[in-house]
Amino acid sequence: MSVLGSKLLLQQSKVLTWTKKCPFTGNVSIRGRILKGLVISTKMKRTIIVRRDYLHYIKKYRRFEKRHKNIAVHCSPAFSVKDGDVVTIGECRPLSKTIRFNVVAHEPAIHAQAGKKSFRIF
């Protein structure tokens, strides 16, 4: 889904609230990488932690190993994100010391959570 498609989706929900760090209403442009990941923490105010799982190839053994990264992401109040949901995030300018991504789209969790540290590729 493109950023424009997400804007249309957000306008249909009619939950637009103005914040300066929101990519839809504020002064933040999405440029660079567009990634998908699993929400593992929503304990901070307007910030979520997204886990990205990936495979890394080891040439010597001709096999893959599982790796992951946790990314701090700004979440606009327009999205009601819970643990276990899958979100699409877009790269933007640095919003704070650790936040360089913004939530662009949100897919609610379909099935029960299998654990925060289980390996999933989207």
Side-chain angles (χ1 to χ4, degrees):
M1 178 180 285
S2 68
V3 175
L4 181 61
S6 297
K7 283 186 184 180
L8 297 174
L9 178 70
L10 199 60
Q11 289 172 355
Q12 289 173 354
S13 66
K14 296 180 181 162
V15 188
L16 285 173
T17 56
W18 188 87
T19 56
K20 65 180 182 179
K21 294 181 181 179
C22 177
F24 306 106
T25 60
N27 190 20
V28 176
S29 61
I30 302 296
R31 80 286 192 281
R33 295 179 169 216
I34 304 291
L35 308 170
K36 263 190 175 183
L38 181 75
V39 177
I40 60 168
S41 175
T42 57
K43 295 176 183 174
M44 293 177 275
K45 183 179 180 182
R46 293 190 182 165
T47 302
I48 61 175
I49 301 297
V50 175
R51 180 183 171 111
R52 290 205 59 240
D53 296 318
Y54 59 96
L55 297 173
H56 180 253
Y57 185 69
I58 307 297
K59 193 184 338 182
K60 179 180 178 180
Y61 299 110
R62 290 183 285 159
R63 282 168 172 69
F64 290 93
E65 69 180 1
K66 297 174 186 176
R67 290 189 179 182
H68 80 277
K69 291 281 185 197
N70 289 341
I71 302 171
V73 179
H74 180 266
C75 184
S76 173
F79 295 104
S80 58
V81 178
K82 299 180 188 119
D83 289 0
D85 292 351
V86 176
V87 291
T88 303
I89 58 177
E91 189 178 9
C92 60
R93 64 177 170 81
L95 301 175
S96 70
K97 180 182 176 183
T98 58
I99 300 174
R100 273 101 174 106
F101 287 89
N102 231 317
V103 173
V104 176
H106 166 246
E107 301 167 15
I110 298 170
H111 56 311
Q113 190 172 355
K116 287 186 179 180
K117 294 189 176 181
S118 62
F119 189 81
R120 299 176 204 157
I121 295 181
F122 305 102

